[in-house]
Amino acid sequence: MKITAFNGSPRGKAGNTHIIVEEFLKGAEEAGAETENILLNKKKIRECIGCFDCWTKTPGECIIKDDMDELMEKFVSSDIVVMASPLYTDNVSGLMKIFMDRMIPIIEPYFVRDENGETRHKKRYEKYPKIAVISNCGFPEQSHFQVLKLFFRRVARNLHTEVIGEIYRGEGEILKNENPLIKPFIKKYLYFVKKAGEEIVKNGKISEEIQKKLERPIIPYRLYFSGANKSWKIEN
Ligand SMILES: Cc1cc2nc3c(=O)[nH]c(=O)nc-3n(C[C@H](O)[C@H](O)[C@H](O)COP(=O)(O)O)c2cc1C
């Protein structure tokens, strides 16, 4: 089984999303998957220019020559893709969105109806990878991911596939905290992330038990809230 993570954090390796992705992939690898972690901030990806040449003149191929050819190939040849992004203005980062827009060559232009009678585009490939979502945000509550949750369900529908796992982490800025009193709580959380990676490979989903543990705050909300406000006192 091949799992490819696409991380849309502009902070790349230095980001909180990366910490979660790495742990998830570790679990997946231990369960036998072949994994790859792609940092989109290291890739050259220009915005889609909306010419639709990838649907008309060069079917399946974008006329912009940058790193997207290679990335699209990796996307469609994976069994599972991990769409990983920090929450930016309640959605994916701009970098992730640009990457996603550039994926339109992987479907065909023709309209078809899905099982509910709603329109989508026709498949270009026989099979599309299943989607796992990883995100984190600066606010403490899990409620901030409601737009993202719906967004990825819609994306999966459009791509004739499904979301098989979601890891959303409020309090994301705690993940790099070095306080020895807090570190054990982060470690425990990341243990559950790794378990989720294992489960996705073994069972094709994250169990209810692990999902519940992943949704719990790492530290109490009020502590994170007051700690965040203290950290914003910029010294000059
Ligand atoms: C432009 C921008 C928009 C953001 N929007 C939100 C937001 O809507 N809600 C939120 O809780 N955090 C928001 N954040 C905070 C990030 O989600 C948070 O810093 C996260 O930990 C970054 O992940 P990363 O280190 O992987 O990039 C935003 C940050 C930036 C820079």
Side-chain angles (χ1 to χ4, degrees), residues 218-233:
I218 295 177
I219 60 167
Y221 288 165
R222 62 186 165 75
L223 277 188
Y224 181 84
F225 189 102
S226 57
N229 278 341
K230 270 187 210 140
S231 77
W232 285 116
K233 286 218 170 70

Side-chain angles (χ1 to χ4, degrees), residues 9 11 15-17 86-90 136-139 144 172-173:
S9 167
R11 291 175 177 169
N16 299 312
T17 310
L87 194 73
Y88 271 18
T89 38
D90 274 23
N136 91 94
C137 75
F139 289 147
H144 297 285
E173 290 289 1

Side-chain angles (χ1 to χ4, degrees), residues 18-234:
H18 184 68
I19 296 173
I20 307 175
V21 171
E22 284 278 283
E23 217 55 37
F24 182 86
L25 294 183
K26 230 186 260 173
E29 260 180 38
E30 281 180 20
E34 178 200 331
T35 71
E36 187 172 359
N37 188 1
I38 296 175
L39 298 164
L40 295 178
N41 72 328
K42 295 281 174 214
K43 301 288 176 188
K44 283 198 185 71
I45 310 171
R46 278 178 47 204
E47 292 93 340
C48 172
I49 56 169
C51 65
F52 289 130
D53 280 6
C54 63
W55 279 352
T56 53
K57 294 191 185 145
T58 54
E61 216 182 293
C62 181
I63 56 155
I64 302 173
K65 289 301 154 211
D66 56 13
D67 290 337
M68 271 312 288
D69 279 348
E70 172 211 341
L71 295 177
M72 262 189 292
E73 207 285 312
K74 285 183 189 288
F75 188 99
V76 291
S77 64
S78 300
D79 299 294
I80 298 172
V81 290
V82 179
M83 303 299 277
S85 173
L87 194 73
Y88 271 18
T89 38
D90 274 23
N91 210 307
V92 292
S93 66
L95 178 57
M96 174 56 89
K97 184 62 168 49
I98 288 172
F99 167 69
M100 293 173 81
D101 289 349
R102 288 286 304 282
M103 299 291 288
I104 67 158
I106 71 168
I107 46 173
E108 289 199 10
Y110 308 105
F111 286 8
V112 292
R113 290 194 204 288
D114 69 9
E115 54 287 357
N116 299 315
E118 193 184 13
T119 306
R120 63 180 167 186
H121 292 288
K122 189 173 178 268
K123 287 174 164 188
R124 185 176 300 280
Y125 295 89
E126 190 43 44
K127 191 175 114 328
Y128 290 86
K130 304 233 191 282
I131 295 176
V133 185
I134 289 180
S135 183
N136 91 94
C137 75
F139 289 147
E141 301 88 2
Q142 295 296 95
S143 55
H144 297 285
F145 297 103
Q146 50 191 300
V147 173
L148 210 64
K149 255 185 201 171
L150 179 60
F151 174 65
F152 276 108
R153 273 173 182 59
R154 298 296 297 171
V155 168
R157 189 201 78 90
N158 288 334
L159 284 181
H160 300 254
T161 182
E162 59 180 323
V163 175
I164 57 161
E166 291 164 286
I167 298 181
Y168 297 120
R169 182 67 270 158
E171 302 186 338
E173 290 289 1
I174 202 82
L175 290 168
K176 286 197 295 270
N177 195 298
E178 288 293 328
N179 182 331
L181 292 174
I182 292 180
K183 275 179 104 168
F185 294 101
I186 299 169
K187 200 171 161 200
K188 195 167 164 199
Y189 170 70
L190 292 175
Y191 169 79
F192 296 131
V193 172
K194 192 170 156 208
K195 278 269 156 221
E198 269 175 48
E199 288 186 350
I200 282 278
V201 175
K202 286 184 184 156
N203 312 325
K205 61 178 184 179
I206 301 172
S207 66
E208 251 178 64
E209 187 200 340
I210 294 294
Q211 193 72 53
K212 259 194 204 146
K213 288 176 171 155
L214 288 171
E215 297 288 323
R216 287 197 310 225
I218 295 177
I219 60 167
Y221 288 165
R222 62 186 165 75
L223 277 188
Y224 181 84
F225 189 102
S226 57
N229 278 341
K230 270 187 210 140
S231 77
W232 285 116
K233 286 218 170 70
I234 296 152

